[in-house]
Every structure is written in structure tokens, then in C-alpha cells.
Amino acid sequence: MITTEQIRAARAILRVTVVELSEKSGIGVATIKRLEAGRGVPAVHTRTLEDIQKALNAMGVEFIGTPEDRPGVRLNTAKK
């Protein structure tokens, strides 16, 4: 699972708007904004987080750590 902090960080490192992430992931803008307003692993369907994670991975973000142990993101320049 990914955390809301990782989603925000991934968008920041990619310079992607909520609207762009919504288009790429198929998740609504309001849902993404609600997720990003929280902390930790959001209480949503697993599929929602998976779709967001897949979209951000496809754009070049790699998620590292776990929610409990140093969660983070890094840019995977090999995918660019």
C-alpha cells in the first residue's frame, strides 16, 4: 500500500496536477483531493490505490519503503 504523503510527493516530483493524475489513473479529481488531505494509508478500496500507484509508476515514479518503514518516492529516470 502507498500513503497519501507518497501520492503528494509523487505528484510533486513529476509536476503533475490532480487533473492529470485523474486522467491517467481513472480516479476522480474529488477522490484524489480527499485522499491527499489525509495522512497515512487512506481508507479506500485497494483498487483505487492500485490504480493511482500504477499511473504514477507509468509516469516514472518508484515507491520505496513501506507505510511503517520510511515510505518515500524516487524518480526512475530509466522510464523517462
Side-chain angles (χ1 to χ4, degrees), residues 52-80:
I52 291 171
Q53 184 172 358
K54 285 178 189 175
L56 291 167
N57 284 149
M59 289 186 265
V61 166
E62 191 175 334
F63 293 90
I64 56 175
T66 66
E68 301 81 24
D69 183 27
R70 296 177 289 168
V73 297
R74 63 181 167 210
L75 190 58
N76 185 346
T77 55
K79 287 190 177 186
K80 286 276 176 180

Side-chain angles (χ1 to χ4, degrees), residues 25-60:
S25 67
I27 304 300
V29 170
T31 300
I32 294 171
K33 286 182 178 182
R34 183 173 41 82
L35 293 177
E36 288 189 353
R39 300 190 97 175
V41 177
V44 295
H45 293 287
T46 302
R47 181 63 188 245
T48 300
L49 286 181
E50 288 173 349
D51 289 347
I52 291 171
Q53 184 172 358
K54 285 178 189 175
L56 291 167
N57 284 149
M59 289 186 265

Side-chain angles (χ1 to χ4, degrees), residues 12-32:
I13 199 170
L14 292 170
R15 296 183 180 171
V16 171
T17 67
V18 172
V19 172
E20 290 170 314
L21 178 55
S22 174
E23 291 169 355
K24 298 278 186 181
S25 67
I27 304 300
V29 170
T31 300
I32 294 171

